[in-house]
Amino acid sequence: MKPLGIQGAWTEEKKLFRDDRGSFHEWFRNDALHTATGREMDVRQANCAVSRKGVLRGIHFTESPPGQAKYVTCLRGSVVGAVVDIRVGSPTFGQWRTAELDDTNCAALYVSEGLGFGFMTVSDEATVIYLSSATYDPKREHGLDPLDPELGIQWPAGITPVVSDRDASAPSLARAGELGLLPVHSD
């Protein structure tokens, strides 16, 4: 696992075993996550999203504490995942990093509690799965405008974003701060 440049976010390259039958890889191991990051993933829910080209899901986050960690990979197609540091007081507050996830590299992305996450589909269609450390609770779920110009996430060029009504009406990072929705950074 490699740090992504924001405390609490890592990418993991996978070792693929290929032969004439296809391929095999381990997509998640809690012991490997713990060894690399010092964190454990107490899986409470698993999700699957199938999206067409241009679909932009997020930036989503859950109230902290307790928050919700995610371990994300792309089974089919290709997406660009974005992690945003939304923790007030963090040295990287407001910064974002992206990672390519696809069915060729089979990389995974770990996003710890207190960070925002979203992704854009760049292939004709993509299937993304992720493990979550907390179950979905609509009262604790929040989002940021994934196209917030002040945040300035550089989504893939040449693709028209397809955004849900919920994500399109989500507040900017600044407005979410004014509303008291953002988690506070703690070491």
Side-chain angles (χ1 to χ4, degrees):
M1 295 193 86
K2 297 178 182 176
L4 192 59
I6 291 176
Q7 181 186 15
W10 289 268
T11 58
E12 183 174 19
E13 295 178 7
K14 300 296 181 177
K15 184 174 183 180
L16 293 172
F17 300 93
R18 295 183 190 271
D19 62 22
D20 60 346
R21 299 170 297 160
S23 68
F24 174 86
H25 72 280
E26 292 178 341
W27 84 273
F28 175 75
R29 283 187 57 158
N30 198 45
D31 60 337
L33 176 71
H34 184 264
T35 298
T37 68
R39 297 168 184 255
E40 300 256 347
M41 185 76 180
D42 183 17
V43 177
R44 300 296 178 148
Q45 184 170 321
N47 298 312
C48 178
V50 178
S51 306
R52 64 182 172 88
K53 186 172 187 169
V55 168
L56 177 52
R57 297 183 185 265
I59 302 296
H60 299 151
F61 64 98
T62 303
E63 287 179 16
S64 291
Q68 183 185 65
K70 296 177 181 175
Y71 190 85
V72 185
T73 195
C74 182
L75 289 180
R76 187 173 51 91
S78 179
V79 302
V80 171
V83 177
V84 181
D85 190 345
I86 59 171
R87 300 167 298 183
V88 175
S90 168
T92 55
F93 176 77
Q95 294 182 25
W96 53 269
R97 301 288 186 277
T98 59
E100 292 182 28
L101 304 174
D102 62 40
D103 58 12
T104 302
N105 67 23
C106 300
L109 183 62
Y110 175 73
V111 182
S112 67
E113 298 87 344
L115 298 175
F117 174 74
F119 67 88
M120 177 184 261
T121 303
V122 296
S123 57
D124 287 340
E125 190 172 88
T127 301
V128 172
I129 58 172
Y130 55 100
L131 305 175
S132 299
S133 65
T135 56
Y136 175 74
D137 180 351
K139 292 176 273 184
R140 301 182 64 77
E141 277 292 311
H142 300 289
L144 298 176
D145 177 356
L147 301 173
D148 176 0
E150 288 186 40
L151 197 52
I153 298 172
Q154 293 178 6
W155 297 107
I159 299 175
T160 302
V162 178
V163 183
S164 71
D165 292 342
R166 173 186 171 220
D167 289 342
S169 63
S172 66
L173 179 64
R175 182 68 181 136
E178 292 167 4
L179 294 170
L181 299 177
L182 303 178
V184 175
H185 179 263
S186 64
D187 297 324

